[in-house]
Amino acid sequence: MNRLKHSITLYGFGNRYVRGLCTFEDTMEKAKKMGGDGIEIVAPQMVPGHPNPSDEWIDYFKDCCQKYELTPVCYSIYIDNGKHKGHYLSEAERMADTISGMEIAKRTGCSIVRSQDPLLPSTMEKLLPYAQELDVHLAIEMHGPYTPSTPIFQEYAELFEKKNDPHLGVVMDFSSFSSGAPSNCLKKFPDDLCNKELLYKINRLYATTEIPEKDLIDMIYAEGGDDADVHVAKRRIFSIDASTARMGTPYWRTKPDYEGFRSLLKYSKYMHGKFYHMEDDLTCPGMDYPNFLRIMKEENYTGFIASEYEGDRYDNTVSDEDQIRLHIQMLDKLWDEA
């Protein structure tokens, strides 16, 4: 029986890193101490000279991996459509940038290159020979509001099935499968801004039942809430429209797409175990990790899962290190129990 392989995306330390509270090497050392087998680096965030890092920096990165016994797993890149004033990137420009990213990933020792949706299925297909030549796995990230049933991701799945090549695949982000708003979504608000106790109750109901939003709004008023509480609920708790949520993440309440997740696992060597808050009892509100880990084990998943902490956007008073450590402990516990 294979053990679960843990990656830690250094993106989870981004808040502390950009504030100068830790160095790049600090993040590597922390990743190892927390239980990471490997790491992911988001190139625009932590690679000096991006998109053209120096040979010296690449040597430094590889030395850090060796020093802390971490496998360089995933090199994350973006398609920067807005980098030229007056026009979006052409397909040729998107291909050139992606090829450059794959070449740098190869130099760093990373076997997976994660890109995002501006890299269309037709373009991924044209890039397959380059991925084969470099022997890297070029993967598209599926991030909320997208799900396996979103038309563009059905096109990606059709491409993967047609090519049946290990050099193309998907990185599934658990934001695509979340239920309800993060359990700490109101933490940053002043205590007198809204009735937090009531709204957290509404959030739990929103995440675990199918009570219509209109009825939940009526409940807010019935239990002493006011217009401010309803406004906060609409903006922070209730789901935004998936059809228009280009940069947002709708919440799927009680019906995340389990079977869609299962169907894409065979094209996955890496996934983002997104989370916003871990409880001390090793539960993660809003993410049905028990069922997703069960599916992964049933499908004999052998890739990495990255602990990707993004709770600092709601609460920067807790330790990102403690949160990531708890997440890894939860994953191991659920894997053993599945």
Side-chain angles (χ1 to χ4, degrees), residues 157-208:
E158 290 169 3
L159 169 65
F160 302 150
E161 183 176 5
K162 179 177 73 173
K163 291 300 181 180
N164 191 29
D165 191 293
H167 295 93
L168 292 182
V170 62
V171 171
M172 289 188 281
D173 186 287
F174 272 63
S175 61
S176 294
F177 305 98
S178 60
S179 297
S183 63
N184 57 353
C185 64
L186 307 177
K187 180 69 175 179
K188 282 188 175 180
F189 287 3
D191 289 339
D192 58 356
L193 177 69
C194 58
N195 187 333
K196 288 187 178 181
E197 182 179 357
L198 173 58
L199 291 183
Y200 277 130
K201 174 184 175 179
I202 295 298
N203 188 30
R204 288 191 295 272
L205 288 171
Y206 188 76
T208 59

Side-chain angles (χ1 to χ4, degrees), residues 76 169 248 297:
S76 285
K297 199 164 185 179

